[in-house]
Amino acid sequence: MPKFQLTRRRFLTAASLGLSGLALSGCDAFDFLQDRDDRVRNFLEGANDLTYRAQRLLAGRDSLAQEYSEADIRQPQRPNGVTAPDDETYKSLLANDFADWRLEVTGLVERPLSLTRHQLMNMPARTQITRHDCVEGWSCIAKWTGVPLALVLDAAVVRPTARYVVFRCLDTIENSLSGEVKYYGSIDLIDARHPQTILAYAVNGKPLPVENGAPLRARVERQLGYKMPKYLKGIELVDSFGAMGLGKGGYWEDRGYDWYGGI
C-alpha cells in the first residue's frame, strides 16, 4: 500500500481550497460574495470532469480496489434503494426463478447477445471480497461472484465507435407523466473492462437475493454504490448519452449526482 493515495474525496477537498484561494485573491469580499453562487456552480460542474481525468492519470487504468479476507465479512450485504421491485414483469420472472430472464447485449456491437443466467454462470467467473461504499456514508464488505463484464463485451464484439456501457434495469424508480422510469446507469469502457468489474449473480457464497439485485447486478469496485445497478435486463453500447434519460449518463446523474463516482 503506497504511503500517499489520492482519493476522489481528497482531490476535491484540495481543489476546492485552491479555488477559494484564487477567488479571494482576485477580487474584494463584496465582489466575491456577489459572484459566489456562479463560482460554486461552475466549480461543481467542472470538478467531476477534472477529478475523473486526474484519477485516471494518477491511479492508472487497471489499479485494483482493495480486497479483503473472509474474516472481514461481518454482516450480510446491506440492501439499499429499491429492494423488492413491484413491476409485473419482474415479479413474473421471479415466480419462475428467472428461467425466462435474458440479459440483452445490444447497441454498438457486432454480435448482439441474449444470455440466460445459466449461460452467464457457465462463463469463467471471478470472486472478490470488496467494500461497498454508499454515497449516503455507509460501507459493507461482501464476497461477490460473477462473470467479468469484459468477457461479455468480447463475446459481443464491441465496435470501435462505442464509448460507454449503459445498464438497463427491470425496477421502476419513479412514475412520470410519460410513464414508468426504469433505473439506468452507465460507465466508460475503461471501467467496463476493469478486472474487478463483474456481472454478479452470487453474494457471500449464495445466489444473489432479491434485495441485493437478483438475478444480476453490476459490481464496479472503484466507484460508489449508485454506479452499480441492480436487476439488470440489458447492456447497451453507445457513443453518447444523448438518447438516455436527460442526457447526463444515469438516473441519479440526471438529478444532480456526479457521473463519475470514483473512490
Side-chain angles (χ1 to χ4, degrees), residues 168-246:
R168 305 289 185 183
C169 305
L170 287 162
D171 55 318
T172 296
I173 193 74
E174 70 171 65
N175 288 288
S176 68
L177 294 177
S178 58
E180 294 180 339
V181 178
K182 306 289 186 183
Y183 194 82
Y184 53 93
S186 66
I187 56 176
D188 65 14
L189 285 176
I190 295 176
D191 270 331
R193 292 191 174 278
H194 187 273
Q196 290 174 314
T197 298
I198 65 174
L199 302 177
Y201 47 73
V203 61
N204 293 335
K206 298 179 180 179
L208 195 66
V210 169
E211 58 265 28
N212 293 136
L216 196 71
R217 72 168 298 162
R219 293 297 308 172
V220 187
E221 301 299 351
R222 296 198 306 179
Q223 297 213 41
L224 291 166
Y226 71 89
K227 298 296 295 185
M228 308 188 203
K230 304 179 290 186
Y231 313 114
L232 294 181
K233 68 173 181 178
I235 291 173
E236 182 182 3
L237 278 294
V238 301
D239 58 3
S240 74
F241 301 142
M244 177 183 176
L246 301 180

Side-chain angles (χ1 to χ4, degrees), residues 8-216:
R8 186 168 183 271
R9 292 187 181 91
R10 287 175 181 169
F11 185 86
L12 276 172
T13 300
S16 62
L17 289 173
L19 182 68
S20 297
L22 289 173
L24 288 170
S25 64
C27 60
D28 62 28
F30 177 78
D31 290 336
F32 175 70
L33 289 174
Q34 261 195 328
D35 296 338
R36 180 184 57 189
D37 289 346
D38 288 339
R39 291 178 183 275
V40 170
R41 184 180 302 108
N42 291 337
F43 167 68
L44 292 176
E45 289 176 353
N48 186 51
D49 182 64
L50 181 61
T51 53
Y52 166 75
R53 294 177 186 276
Q55 191 157 335
R56 283 280 186 259
L57 177 65
L58 296 172
R61 297 166 65 99
D62 296 323
S63 62
L64 300 179
Q66 182 177 354
E67 297 194 15
Y68 298 83
S69 70
E70 296 270 0
D72 294 310
I73 303 174
R74 296 169 185 166
Q75 64 185 69
Q77 173 61 31
R78 177 175 172 175
N80 195 40
V82 174
T83 57
D86 196 35
D87 305 75
E88 291 304 319
T89 298
Y90 183 84
K91 291 191 290 185
S92 176
L93 292 168
L94 174 61
N96 198 24
D97 195 26
F98 300 107
D100 300 321
W101 171 89
R102 299 291 186 274
L103 178 71
E104 306 292 339
V105 184
T106 60
L108 296 175
V109 296
E110 298 293 341
R111 299 177 188 165
L113 304 175
S114 182
L115 301 169
T116 66
R117 188 167 57 165
H118 182 71
Q119 287 174 314
L120 288 166
M121 293 176 70
N122 278 338
M123 295 178 72
R126 177 183 173 93
T127 295
Q128 57 202 28
I129 302 175
T130 52
R131 189 183 68 199
H132 181 105
D133 291 309
C134 181
V135 72
E136 295 172 351
W138 57 266
S139 299
C140 187
I141 294 173
K143 179 169 71 173
W144 302 94
T145 299
V147 56
L149 177 53
L151 295 183
V152 175
L153 299 181
D154 288 343
V157 187
V158 177
R159 294 179 182 173
T161 52
R163 297 180 60 198
Y164 307 104
V165 171
V166 175
F167 298 108
R168 305 289 185 183
C169 305
L170 287 162
D171 55 318
T172 296
I173 193 74
E174 70 171 65
N175 288 288
S176 68
L177 294 177
S178 58
E180 294 180 339
V181 178
K182 306 289 186 183
Y183 194 82
Y184 53 93
S186 66
I187 56 176
D188 65 14
L189 285 176
I190 295 176
D191 270 331
R193 292 191 174 278
H194 187 273
Q196 290 174 314
T197 298
I198 65 174
L199 302 177
Y201 47 73
V203 61
N204 293 335
K206 298 179 180 179
L208 195 66
V210 169
E211 58 265 28
N212 293 136
L216 196 71

